[in-house]
Amino acid sequence: MNIRAKIFGGGEADPSPVVGKKRPGGAKTDKLNSVKVARDEYRRGNTRGADRHRLSEEQVRVVHDGTSHLVDLINLSGGGAMIAGDLDPRLWDRLDLHLGEGGVIECAVRWLKGNRIGLEFAHETRLDCSVAEQAELLRATIARSFPEVEFEVAIEADDAAPQANEHRRERRHPLIWSGALHHDYETTPIRLRNISSTGALIECGAPLRVGSEPLLDLGEAGTVFATVAWIVGDQVGLKFHDLFDLSRLAQSTPEVAPQRWDRPEYLRTASDPDSPWADEWGRLSLGELRDELEGFMKR
């Protein structure tokens, strides 16, 4: 044994007869897989999407082909819901999901399994107002927020025929309004599912209480105090304290939903002409919406 090397260092020390030579450990700088991580639990499902709110004994109403049905609401997420009930829709059928007073979401049937039905929510913000008011609001929004989409000479909404067909309400615009909810000294971003002069349906991830009175902030469109009327999962029904002028929404820049969806692999062979993948929910591009609004305003 080289005692001097053991004490003062230098030179190659003889191996200790007592302590074995320690093998190098830890991560190697040139190898990302040099450290093994023990896993006691593995992924049991797809958790990449939005959080799902599992509900117990929650019943809601859906309207399918003009008939109302009471169904069980199994779970709810930002993009859709699972229901179970005694109705027999086809894939791609449209139906309205009623979550509470003023809380109507248009859906498409995405999948069927036994008596359970998977629904996908429409993307755009639903505007609950008259046909003429909706046309003017959409027109003003496009003119302000998307100036590259040109309009012809403006025509007053009053010139529109008062007897305009109510089926015009089915116009599918691609605009999604968002905002924030101020409550309990916190601010939470929200998505506006639908809105009228008296209330709104919002998607909000924060815990709220029925009866609380938050402030709905729609940016440049202004603010309005409201009372939480009902809560189902992350969908919240608000009742406004004062009437809200929907034309103010034109001052706030909305997002534009994609006109064309990327069809998932398992739907590559879907050819049903009623499929939302086939007609893209009937949603118009901004240019197509502009042209339709011009024609409507000239009636």
Side-chain angles (χ1 to χ4, degrees), residues 143-191:
R144 178 186 180 278
S145 298
F146 309 96
E148 68 278 7
V149 182
E150 298 180 356
F151 281 99
E152 298 177 9
V153 179
I155 298 179
E156 296 298 328
D158 291 340
D159 293 338
Q163 68 274 18
N165 293 334
E166 281 303 310
H167 75 269
R168 284 284 187 173
R169 188 177 295 274
E170 298 301 319
R171 181 186 297 110
R172 301 302 299 267
H173 66 82
L175 304 179
I176 304 170
W177 274 272
S178 300
L181 199 70
H182 305 295
H183 61 102
D184 294 339
Y185 304 101
E186 295 183 1
T187 298
T188 305
I190 63 96
R191 175 181 181 148

Side-chain angles (χ1 to χ4, degrees), residues 12-27:
E12 183 68 26
D14 295 333
S16 169
V18 179
V19 181
K21 185 177 180 181
K22 184 178 181 181
R23 294 183 179 181

Side-chain angles (χ1 to χ4, degrees), residues 63-64 92-96 106-108 172 274 276 279 281-282:
V63 177
H64 174 245
W92 324 127
D93 275 0
R94 306 285 178 79
L95 55 81
D96 288 334
E106 186 178 2
C107 310
R172 301 302 299 267
D274 294 329
D279 63 10
W281 285 87

Side-chain angles (χ1 to χ4, degrees), residues 209-225:
R209 302 181 307 278
V210 173
S212 60
E213 299 183 342
L215 177 68
L216 178 61
D217 187 346
L218 297 174
E220 295 184 22
T223 59
V224 57
F225 280 102

Side-chain angles (χ1 to χ4, degrees), residues 74 83 139 141 143 148 168 193 217 225 266:
I74 308 301
I83 62 173
R139 190 177 189 281
T141 300
E148 68 278 7
R168 284 284 187 173
R193 283 284 176 195
D217 187 346
F225 280 102
Y266 66 87

Side-chain angles (χ1 to χ4, degrees), residues 260-281:
R260 187 174 300 278
W261 293 356
D262 291 329
R263 187 184 305 185
E265 188 63 32
Y266 66 87
L267 292 177
R268 294 295 180 189
T269 59
S271 58
D272 190 326
D274 294 329
S275 165
W277 303 105
D279 63 10
E280 301 141 10
W281 285 87

